[in-house]
């Protein structure tokens, strides 16, 4: 079996890439506009629009609708026009701001919610939608009333809302090979969005991941462009309805947005927000393929990527946005950026980017920078930096979206069909669709005969992922990262354990939950559930295709159970295929469950036989991408694209796999600077005077620095000596504790993503003077120190995690692209603290968040 599976199969992507030398582009008349002039753009980043497909965008507005758009545009002031092309996050904008600045749109980011509570009940979301709408319609006499539109990341169901149906992430849906099911998922998602008053979802993601080290790979249906393209039209029709001149909101629908244009799944080394250094041929045939059905089905909006193509950020690539997408491919909808993505454009900042306006961006997602962006854009229009006809085109596209939705006639959100029908959130028939999706997404990779589990048996359920609904749902679930969530936040949802227990008892058997695999009665079989923990975007980027060391404990549990003669079924929760040969060798059966969402019972459906001993359901899931034989990207394939076993095939013999990952397994995490009392590899812990002089590099403990004014010792946290304590005496020259490295790191994307520097700390005595925190750039101070009064308010003797937004350091002037010391804590007063861990993380991981300016 092994020899058969290790053979690399030729996928359409592989054939395209192999053909590139023979299909090299021939010189043609360059149609790149002024923004892409030779002095401003690399030759490799110039496009040839005539080589791209010409597509017919469907008619979606009546003549009367277009006339209304033009009539409104003619009455607008320049201030109103600028407001319409800006989208602000609800955590950084109020209805009064919308009223004053005439903003065109709001969104809720991954950690945003009504009243600052991203776990607010559904009723609060609808109330806030009304408030924003009312503000947008409160206009002076003679001023056009333009309703606001609210966008949300409903990427696997209306996943920001407690009680909503959470569908499998796209990687699992790619395994179903069922476009009709995808359309029904879109329909359910649209209905649930309408319940809470939003009109627009930033979905579907139509990325074609080529490197599964990428932290967003699970948002793509497949690594194969033809499979992704086969799903796109179905999801868009499910969300928006078929293309029509009837208002979208007249039916149970919302506006969709395909993302991220273009080649976000093709970046070098799978780096999120990185650079796709590929040919125009690969760009067009691989990453451009899903946009053909998107445009044919009249997708309302398209979101540009954070990433670059051959060194040029997509938000400023006029050739791809204006010449190809709007020109050659005839996209007649609206183009929006991602979260402050314009700020990454060369020569731009979050507060200003005329180049992106000129490139063809119609709306700017400026979540927390909207007011500065408004002021700068208004000034740039007035002084001619931004052409009025380009601004008018952008505003017209925004108005067309609103006209197409029907916002001008539908009234405020609470008055529209489906609004406030909270029983539709997680309705039984919606959950049934999700459960069906879970069943169809399961991929059986190994079965020597233990499956299906027979009626009446005693089943042991083990593994750290068995009873965790948030973990089985993954990122973009109630919060950006999907972390820190308990099962009670998912009413009516079913964990994998609950689903297995129900299935076992329904057939006359029993089930026991034991994370570590111990048991009171010997089981007939064990199901061990393991895999990845939730992540989103760049927090999920990994260096190699392997499970983190701390997540491999359940594999040892499998081994112990096997040694006792107990059959083992391994169920892997994961956003991507990973090297797990040890688990594949140990288990008698292995199922890839992906990230199944709220309906964990769908997994159990596939594992048990019915009363007659026959499988209750047949496996139909097929791998949406190849499964690796090692942890090295680009290495040998173990299971090819499209592989998946069936019960009908019968049990299959297993040839043991090599257990050599092919990579160095150091378990390093680039987002962790200090853990278990020691700095990460290539990082140093030093103690110095506040000005950086007289530094001592701490390599062993106990130790003393600054002539005994600072004493460092080991203390316990989690494990013996898992932290370091620092006793600091008061002194005019002060003392600083710092984590530093020689090679600067770029934390700009983490800063933009609202990430925090997290310090797991214990206050061991009263702190006499406020501790301050700062960063260093290129081994020198940069920006001002941030006072963190929260340290002094911590309960004595208790470990807590204090978070400081990276934005706080940027706001003081720090260059977040050249950080050599992300952690520097200083005081001239007496203090006693212990530190266990310093790392980057999200809001949900902090017990206390420092109150500091961020703008």
């Amino acid at each position: 079996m092994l020899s058969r599976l290790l053979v690399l199969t030729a996928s359409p992507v592989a054939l395209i890439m192999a053909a590139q030398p023979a299909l090299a582009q021939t010189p043609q008349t360059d149609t790149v506009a002024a923004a892409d002039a030779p002095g401003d753009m690399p030759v490799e980043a110039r496009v040839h629009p005539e080589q791209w497909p010409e597509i017919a965008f469907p008619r979606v507005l009546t003549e009367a609708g277009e006339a209304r758009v033009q009539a409104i545009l003619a009455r607008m002031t320049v201030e109103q026009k600028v407001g319409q092309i800006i989208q602000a996050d609800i955590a950084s904008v109020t209805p009064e701001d919308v009223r004053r600045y005439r903003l065109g749109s709001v969104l809720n980011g991954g950690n945003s919610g009504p009243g600052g509570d991203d776990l607010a009940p559904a009723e609060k979301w609808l109330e806030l939608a009304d408030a924003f709408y009312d503000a947008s319609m409160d206009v002076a006499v003679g001023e056009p009333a333009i309703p606001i539109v609210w966008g949300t990341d409903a990427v696997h169901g209306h996943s920001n809302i407690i009680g909503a149906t959470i569908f499998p992430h796209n990687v699992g849906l790619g395994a179903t090979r069922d476009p009709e099911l995808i359309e029904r998922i879109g329909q359910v998602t649209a209905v649930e969005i309408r319940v809470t008053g939003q009109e627009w979802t930033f979905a579907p993601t139509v990325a074609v991941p080529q490197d599964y080290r990428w932290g967003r790979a699970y948002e793509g249906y497949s690594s194969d462009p033809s499979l992704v393209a086969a799903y796109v039209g179905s999801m868009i029709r499910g969300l928006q309805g078929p293309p029509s001149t009837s208002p979208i909101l007249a039916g149970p629908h919302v506006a969709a947005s395909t993302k991220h244009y273009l080649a976000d799944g093709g970046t070098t080394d799978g780096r999120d927000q990185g650079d796709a250094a590929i040919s125009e041929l690969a760009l067009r045939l691989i990453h451009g393929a899903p946009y053909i059905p998107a445009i044919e089905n009249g997708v309302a909006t398209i979101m540009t990527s954070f990433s670059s193509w051959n060194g040029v950020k997509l938000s400023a690539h006029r050739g791809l946005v204006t010449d190809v997408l709007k020109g050659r491919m005839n996209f007649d909808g609206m183009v929006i950026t991602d979260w402050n993505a314009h700020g990454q454009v060369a020569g731009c900042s979050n507060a200003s980017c005329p180049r992106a306006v000129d490139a063809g961006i119609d709306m700017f997602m400026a979540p927390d920078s909207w007011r500065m962006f408004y002021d700068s854009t208004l000034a740039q229009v007035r002084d001619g930096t931004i052409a009025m006809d380009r601004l008018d085109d952008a505003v017209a596209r925004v108005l067309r979206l609103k006209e197409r939705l029907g916002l001008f006639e539908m009234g405020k959100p609470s008055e529209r069909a489906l609004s406030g029908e909270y029983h539709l959130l997680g309705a039984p028939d919606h959950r049934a669709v999700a459960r069906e999706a879970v069943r169809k997404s399961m991929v059986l990779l190994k079965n020597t005969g233990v499956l299906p589990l027979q009626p009446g048996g005693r089943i042991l359920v083990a593994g750290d992922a068995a009873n965790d609904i948030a973990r089985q749902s993954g990122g973009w679930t109630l919060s950006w990262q999907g972390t820190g969530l308990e099962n009670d936040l998912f009413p009516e949802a079913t964990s994998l354990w609950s689903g297995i227990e129900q299935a076992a008892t329904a057939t006359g058997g029993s089930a026991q939950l034991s994370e570590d695999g111990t048991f009171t009665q010997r089981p007939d079989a064990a199901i061990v559930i393991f895999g990845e923990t939730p992540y989103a975007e760049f927090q999920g980027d990994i260096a190699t295709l392997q499970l983190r060391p701390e997540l491999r404990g359940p594999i040892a549990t499998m081994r112990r159970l096997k040694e006792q003669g107990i059959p083992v079924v391994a169920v892997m929760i994961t956003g991507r295929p990973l090297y797990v040969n040890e688990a594949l060798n140990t288990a008698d059966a292995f199922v890839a469950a992906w990230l199944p969402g709220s309906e964990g019972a769908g997994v159990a459906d596939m594992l048990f036989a019915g009363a007659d001993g026959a499988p209750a359901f047949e496996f139909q899931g097929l791998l949406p991408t190849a499964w690796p034989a090692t942890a090295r990207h680009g290495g040998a394939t173990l299971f090819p694209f499209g592989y998946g076993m069936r019960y009908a095939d019968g049990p299959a013999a297993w040839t043991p796999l090599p257990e050599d990952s092919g990579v160095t397994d150091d378990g390093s995490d680039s987002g962790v600077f200090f853990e278990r009392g020691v700095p990460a590899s290539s990082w140093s812990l030093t103690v110095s005077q506040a000005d950086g002089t007289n530094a001592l590099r701490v390599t062993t403990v106990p130790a003393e620095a600054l002539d005994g004014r600072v004493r460092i010792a080991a203390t316990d946290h989690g494990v013996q000596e898992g932290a370091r304590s620092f006793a600091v005496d008061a002194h005019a020259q002060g003392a600083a504790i710092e984590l530093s490295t020689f090679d600067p790191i770029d934390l700009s994307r983490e800063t933009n993503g609202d990430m925090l520097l997290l310090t797991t700390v214990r206050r061991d005595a009263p702190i006499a003077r406020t501790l301050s925190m700062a960063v260093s750039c290129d081994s020198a101070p940069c920006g001002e120190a941030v006072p963190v009064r929260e340290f002094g308010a911590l309960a004595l003797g208790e470990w807590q995690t204090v978070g400081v937004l990276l934005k706080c350091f940027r706001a003081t002037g720090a260059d977040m692209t050249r950080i050599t010391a992300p952690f520097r804590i200083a005081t001239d007063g007496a203090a006693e603290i212990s530190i266990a861990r310093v790392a980057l993380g999200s809001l949900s991981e902090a017990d206390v968040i420092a109150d500091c300016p961020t703008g």
Side-chain angles (χ1 to χ4, degrees), residues 261-296:
Y261 183 85
L262 188 63
D264 53 337
T267 60
T268 301
D269 296 327
R271 179 176 169 81
D272 190 44
Q273 304 182 21
D275 183 40
I278 58 177
S279 71
E280 187 177 356
L281 177 70
L283 183 74
R284 183 175 78 247
L285 296 184
I286 298 174
H287 304 284
Y291 288 89
I292 297 173
I295 293 170
E296 288 174 338

Side-chain angles (χ1 to χ4, degrees), residues 1-61:
M1 181 178 182
L2 177 60
S3 61
R4 174 171 63 87
L5 295 178
L6 283 173
V7 174
L8 282 168
T9 59
S11 69
V13 172
L15 293 174
I16 291 168
M17 301 303 287
Q20 283 191 74
L23 296 173
Q25 297 164 1
T26 55
Q28 299 191 34
T29 302
D30 199 295
T31 59
V32 178
D36 299 344
D40 197 38
M41 176 166 289
V43 171
E44 298 84 356
R46 298 186 199 170
V47 294
H48 302 78
E50 69 279 1
Q51 296 178 4
W52 290 70
E54 192 169 10
I55 305 167
F57 191 82
R59 183 167 179 257
V60 293
L61 283 188

Side-chain angles (χ1 to χ4, degrees), residues 171-241:
V171 65
L173 299 183
T176 69
R177 304 299 205 271
D178 191 339
E180 186 274 334
L181 172 63
I182 303 304
E183 184 165 347
R184 286 189 282 131
I185 290 171
Q187 291 168 346
V188 170
T189 301
V191 166
E192 297 199 11
I193 293 171
R194 292 288 298 275
V195 169
T196 57
Q198 290 70 52
E199 305 98 354
W200 177 18
T201 176
F202 304 132
T205 301
V206 298
V208 188
Q210 300 300 290
D211 188 332
Y212 278 78
R213 293 175 294 179
W214 182 38
R216 303 193 77 154
Y218 65 78
E219 296 185 52
Y221 295 115
S222 172
S223 59
D224 185 84
S226 59
L227 178 55
V228 177
Y231 279 12
V232 174
S234 296
M235 181 58 81
I236 290 171
R237 288 191 301 274
L239 291 167
Q240 295 186 169

